[in-house]
């Protein structure tokens, strides 16, 4: 398995998708839903786009875990990468969310699936920082270089540097925080709309980092292991060209197949030489998701990558002697205790 490109992903099929009014204030990429269209029509169109992303990834040989969500109070649940991240060595991160109506997107069933299907040793939960007004929205707020162990972070309401430092200490990353703004001086709300880091290529809008010295430090750090940098313009970022993610799929013959997943809108914004640079190391898989992009996020935001070792399918782990020694109560097949005789 590639350190940078996961071979499995989590998607949420949000049946009640709509652009979230609670996130519009600081998300300059967000748009309003078309006037006069019923919510049900917008949601149905978004669900079809979600299914298209899942099908495209499966077609590329990526393992896809889809979770259904029909809760109308979670309009942004299609973006699970903001509350969840997974890491080699069996560590899972759970994150504090800026918008209060996004905080119940965190789901125990997703965590239970990870624990049952993959080797999970530790879950580190930062969500208790929300009452203190401190936020770090997962791999939206951070773009992680799993090879060089760097957490690139555009500072914003959704990316607090104090939590970033804690994350980097806990997970073993080097923090690289910077300011990033658009041409109107508006801070970038999530780092993953301006940057994507693959194994051998990185897409990033360096021009949106106003501090020239810091810009060059970011460029140098990205290229230290030979990675090629494809510089994006602000206009391309507006088309979600930075909101892509490298994944590791499989060919029908079982060989590794590296793909760069992005939206069709993002793909159309790229110049031929940029496409050529990306395709030197991975194949572009593009899916048209205009309805979902109304919410200010694109394909990368929809994907929570699974960087965990998979448990062998069909293998049940026997309890150790120590566990059996203290386990005096009988259990049902599903693990629930059976009440003893009165």
């Amino acid at each position: 398995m590639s350190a940078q490109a996961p071979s499995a992903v989590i998607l949420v099929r949000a049946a009640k998708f709509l652009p979230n009014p609670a996130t519009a204030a600081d998300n300059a990429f967000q748009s309003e839903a078309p006037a006069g269209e019923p919510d049900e029509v917008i949601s149905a169109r978004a669900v079809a786009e979600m299914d298209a992303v899942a099908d495209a990834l499966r077609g590329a040989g990526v393992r896809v875990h889809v979770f259904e969500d029909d809760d109308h109070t979670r309009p942004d649940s299609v973006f699970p990468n903001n509350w969840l991240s997974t890491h080699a060595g069996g560590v899972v991160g759970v994150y504090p969310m800026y918008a209060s109506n996004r905080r119940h997107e965190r789901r125990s069933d997703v965590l239970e699936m990870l624990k049952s299907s993959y080797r999970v040793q530790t879950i580190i939960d930062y969500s208790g920082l929300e009452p203190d007004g401190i936020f770090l929205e997962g791999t939206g707020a951070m773009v992680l270089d799993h090879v060089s162990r760097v957490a690139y972070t555009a500072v914003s309401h959704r990316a607090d540097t104090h939590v970033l430092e804690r994350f980097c200490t806990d997970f073993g990353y080097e923090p690289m925080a910077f300011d990033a703004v658009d041409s109107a001086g508006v801070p970038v709300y999530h780092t993953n709309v301006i940057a994507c880091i693959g194994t051998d290529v990185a897409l990033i809008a360096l021009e949106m980092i106003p501090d020239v010295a810091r810009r060059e430090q970011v460029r140098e750090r990205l290229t230290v292991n030979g990675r090629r940098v494809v510089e994006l313009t602000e206009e391309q970022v507006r088309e979600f060209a930075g909101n892509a993610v490298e994944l590791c799929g499989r060919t029908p013959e079982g060989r590794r197949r590296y793909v760069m997943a992005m939206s069709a809108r993002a793909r159309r914004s790229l110049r031929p030489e940029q496409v050529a640079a990306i395709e030197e190391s991975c194949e572009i898989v593009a899916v048209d998701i205009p309805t979902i992009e109304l919410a200010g996020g694109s394909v990368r935001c929809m994907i929570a990558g699974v960087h965990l070792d998979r448990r062998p399918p069909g293998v049940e782990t026997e309890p150790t002697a120590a566990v059996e020694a203290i386990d005096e109560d009988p259990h049902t097949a599903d693990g629930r205790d059976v009440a003893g005789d009165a």
Side-chain angles (χ1 to χ4, degrees), residues 7-68:
S7 57
V9 300
I10 292 168
L11 302 179
V12 176
R13 192 173 187 267
K16 304 294 184 180
F17 170 89
L18 288 171
N20 185 357
T23 59
D26 72 331
N27 184 344
F29 295 79
Q30 189 167 326
S31 304
E32 292 186 2
E37 275 201 324
D39 291 352
E40 295 77 11
V41 172
I42 296 169
S43 296
R45 198 161 58 234
V47 166
E49 294 171 10
M50 296 171 207
D51 291 342
V53 170
D55 289 344
L57 297 183
R58 290 192 186 102
V62 176
R63 191 162 58 254
V64 180
H65 302 281
V66 177
F67 286 81
E68 300 285 341

Side-chain angles (χ1 to χ4, degrees), residues 193-210:
V193 296
I194 66 165
C196 161
I197 299 175
T199 305
D200 297 314
V201 66
L203 318 178
I204 184 167
L206 289 169
E207 67 174 29
M208 297 180 75
I209 302 175

Side-chain angles (χ1 to χ4, degrees), residues 230 267 269-280 282 284:
V230 175
R267 170 64 179 79
S269 76
L270 296 173
R271 300 189 301 274
E273 66 272 18
Q274 293 173 315
V275 172
I278 295 168
E279 291 187 335
E280 284 182 7
C282 49
I284 294 175

Side-chain angles (χ1 to χ4, degrees), residues 26-313:
D26 72 331
N27 184 344
F29 295 79
Q30 189 167 326
S31 304
E32 292 186 2
E37 275 201 324
D39 291 352
E40 295 77 11
V41 172
I42 296 169
S43 296
R45 198 161 58 234
V47 166
E49 294 171 10
M50 296 171 207
D51 291 342
V53 170
D55 289 344
L57 297 183
R58 290 192 186 102
V62 176
R63 191 162 58 254
V64 180
H65 302 281
V66 177
F67 286 81
E68 300 285 341
D69 183 25
D70 59 2
D71 188 335
H72 73 281
T73 68
R74 298 194 288 219
D76 273 342
S77 63
V78 69
F79 302 136
N81 80 308
N82 296 152
W83 72 264
L84 174 73
S85 71
T86 68
H87 303 261
V91 189
V92 174
V94 177
Y95 297 95
M97 306 283 279
Y98 178 61
S100 59
N101 73 346
R102 295 203 62 192
R103 295 171 189 171
H104 62 304
E105 291 175 20
R106 295 185 290 260
R107 295 173 56 159
S108 60
D109 58 342
V110 173
L111 298 176
E112 289 304 317
M113 182 280 293
L114 290 174
K115 288 190 288 184
S116 63
S117 299
Y118 298 88
R119 299 192 185 279
V120 174
Q121 295 188 24
T122 306
I123 297 176
I124 302 177
D125 188 349
Y126 303 103
S127 63
L129 296 170
E130 287 168 348
D132 301 314
I134 301 173
F135 312 106
L136 184 71
E137 294 191 338
T139 54
M142 303 175 290
V143 173
L144 301 177
D145 181 345
H146 299 283
V147 177
S148 297
R149 309 297 293 178
V150 181
Y152 295 90
T153 307
V155 179
S156 71
H157 298 305
R158 309 189 191 199
D160 183 273
T161 54
H162 296 91
V163 197
L164 173 65
E165 293 282 353
R166 286 179 57 176
F167 166 85
C168 288
T169 298
D170 293 337
F171 285 81
Y173 286 79
E174 169 195 342
M176 181 159 274
F178 49 85
D179 293 320
V181 298
D182 64 19
S183 54
V186 177
V188 171
Y189 84 103
H190 269 168
T191 315
N192 75 358
V193 296
I194 66 165
C196 161
I197 299 175
T199 305
D200 297 314
V201 66
L203 318 178
I204 184 167
L206 289 169
E207 67 174 29
M208 297 180 75
I209 302 175
D211 184 323
V212 176
R214 194 59 167 161
R215 182 190 308 166
E216 293 309 309
Q217 288 169 352
V218 171
R219 184 200 308 274
E220 180 181 359
R221 196 71 183 86
L222 281 169
T223 58
V224 71
N225 65 352
R227 184 184 286 116
R228 181 171 182 175
V229 171
V230 175
E231 291 200 42
L232 303 175
T233 65
E234 181 180 336
E235 290 73 21
Q236 290 174 318
V237 165
R238 292 281 177 195
E239 299 299 307
F240 295 104
N243 200 239
V245 60
E246 184 188 71
L247 304 170
C248 182
R250 292 281 176 179
T251 67
E253 297 75 34
R255 293 191 300 271
R256 284 187 180 181
R257 175 188 184 189
Y258 290 96
V259 300
M260 186 69 76
M262 63 177 63
S263 73
R265 175 180 174 183
R267 170 64 179 79
R268 288 191 295 268
S269 76
L270 296 173
R271 300 189 301 274
E273 66 272 18
Q274 293 173 315
V275 172
I278 295 168
E279 291 187 335
E280 284 182 7
S281 58
C282 49
E283 173 189 348
I284 294 175
V285 173
V287 185
D288 204 19
I289 55 166
T291 310
I292 293 170
E293 287 174 333
L294 293 172
S298 190
V299 168
R300 199 286 167 253
C301 294
M302 298 173 65
I303 291 172
V306 181
H307 293 266
L308 303 168
D309 291 332
R310 194 179 186 189
R311 293 186 183 277

